[in-house]
Amino acid sequence: MIRNLIGDVSCVAFLRTSWLQGTTAVVTLIFIAGIAGAQTTIPLPQRKILFREDSKSQARAAKQANTAAIARDAAPIKEMDLRAPKIEYSRDGKTIRGSGGVALQSGSMSIESDAIAMQTESKDASFEGAVTVNSPDAKIQAASGTTNLNTEAGTFSCAKVRFEDSNYQAQAGEVRKLDDERFELDDGKFTTCSCSDENNAVGASNGSGSPCSDSYIPPWSIEASSISMTRDGYAFAHGAKLKIHGVPIFYTPFLGFPVKEERQSGLLAPTFGYSSEDGFKAQTPLFVTLGETADLTLTPFLETQTRTGLSAGYRQKYSRYNQLESRFYLSDESQRDGSLRGTDVSGLYDPTFDETRTGAYMQHYWRAEKDAPLDLTYISDVHYVSDDLFLKEIPDTDLGESTQTSTVSRALVRAGLGEYGVAELSGEYVQALDSQNDDFVFQRLPEL
């Protein structure tokens, strides 16, 4: 925990994103400072990514692969270019048919399919068998489809669509591309999971060459009877069900959510539950963006027989060398009238609690800029709970584990003294959560 803090600081950032903040991208930044040398270093908590496919590295790899797959000349081709092993023309020259594997380039759009039939005057074309449409805005794969080569609008059956500038992707019985920005889906399934297994891609083939299959179960998805989407805008779903690994956990007749790359303020996924001790449980997080480098998460919570309260989490990245993460809890326990409601209090010195409970943690890392006249570093890792039962009844792994027998807060200031050495000042405070009386807990003196 504040260990080995002499030397250069290296920072690693982990990114986690969730769909409803507006996909909104809830972004969690955790910076871990590692410095080689003298005493103790604070172990900043390790974030657990709920789905590996949502990690930053996975998303980056998927995006690079998709970009490479649709690479084309910077200047769009103005004339139509049709290539196929077999091309037939009608006698009046108004219809062209291609088969045996067709490749068509028209404007900024390229299409591959088994066969094509196209009207030369209207530029209406129909495609059959393993259709793939690549354009700067989206990639569509379908069993069949029709499109107009002038407007690039079209309708595709048993299709999947992926926005190329993001991880948003959907599968539907029918996809209608209205223009470069707007899409409509019937019997649709929407997710942001970029699964690495090709057989688990959205709309994976069922073995017959058709992507119209429900065999794929993403880690999470929104399924709806109809979905209208605007690229880098919003999506609106009717008859929507939120599913986790294929299990429906939430239904709403109407749902609107952003499909943007930038972080958006909005409601995150709520949680519900019930227990005989606490009654009905509910949490409804609200994510608020405060500029590009800061955010606030407000989470009201309710347990009908036990408590009502609010947690507020604040994060900010002031600079590459200055990051803060914190959370504060306020809980009204008056509903329980002092009852423990089944909480195990064996071995505790003080198995009581106040009607108003508080808890907090803060992690702060700061380092002077490289060109600063004095090389200064500050690290703090602060944890506080108002009573010994807090972590057992209000779980938060950032604040502490439910099995902990104490909370430890630490802080360290380090100053480089040029080529001659370093000076460090560190301190810690221990709060007992077991059989010890806090008044008699051994506390280490600050060390210089």
Side-chain angles (χ1 to χ4, degrees), residues 28 58 139 145 174 178 192 194 233 246 317 431:
T28 302
Q58 290 282 328
K139 178 179 181 180
E174 181 175 282
L178 306 181
T192 58
S194 304
K317 181 181 178 182
Q431 181 183 7

Side-chain angles (χ1 to χ4, degrees), residues 158 171 189 202-207 210-216:
C158 295
Q171 171 183 333
K189 179 188 296 183
V202 171
S205 172
N206 60 6
S210 169
C212 197
S213 168
D214 288 331
S215 59
Y216 167 62

Side-chain angles (χ1 to χ4, degrees), residues 4-5 9 17 63 117 180 208 254 291 293 322 349 372 384 436:
N4 300 330
L5 271 149
V9 176
T17 321
K63 188 171 183 178
D180 288 345
S208 62
F254 179 79
T293 62
N322 189 2
Y349 172 79
Y384 167 78
Q436 297 186 76

Side-chain angles (χ1 to χ4, degrees), residues 31-111:
F31 288 82
I32 302 175
I35 316 170
Q39 288 212 37
T40 46
T41 188
I42 295 171
L44 300 183
Q46 296 183 358
R47 279 277 192 260
K48 298 177 181 178
I49 297 175
L50 183 58
F51 303 123
R52 180 179 61 86
E53 294 84 359
D54 286 336
S55 66
K56 186 175 182 179
S57 59
Q58 290 282 328
R60 185 186 299 113
K63 188 171 183 178
Q64 290 175 348
N66 286 329
T67 301
I70 63 169
R72 58 173 58 88
D73 295 337
I77 299 175
K78 295 183 178 181
E79 300 296 330
M80 185 189 70
D81 181 15
L82 173 63
R83 300 182 184 184
K86 183 179 180 180
I87 299 179
E88 299 175 317
Y89 295 83
S90 64
R91 290 187 177 183
D92 57 10
K94 294 182 178 181
T95 303
I96 301 176
R97 299 183 183 275
S99 59
V102 177
L104 172 66
Q105 181 82 45
S106 177
S108 61
M109 180 173 62
S110 65
I111 305 175

Side-chain angles (χ1 to χ4, degrees), residues 354-422:
D354 296 328
E355 286 191 353
T356 301
R357 306 170 84 176
T358 56
Y361 87 94
M362 183 191 71
Q363 292 168 335
H364 188 193
Y365 166 72
W366 174 85
R367 181 179 178 181
E369 299 291 340
K370 288 186 175 181
D371 55 354
L374 184 62
D375 182 13
L376 284 174
T377 301
Y378 166 75
I379 303 174
S380 64
D381 184 14
V382 179
H383 301 260
Y384 167 78
V385 290
S386 60
D387 58 80
D388 294 352
L389 298 177
F390 191 100
L391 295 180
K392 295 181 181 294
E393 297 187 339
I394 304 179
D396 185 329
T397 55
D398 291 325
L399 189 58
E401 300 289 344
S402 61
T403 57
Q404 283 184 202
T405 59
S406 65
T407 63
V408 183
S409 300
R410 296 183 173 90
L412 179 142
V413 178
R414 170 188 177 273
L417 304 178
E419 300 178 358
Y420 302 100
V422 296

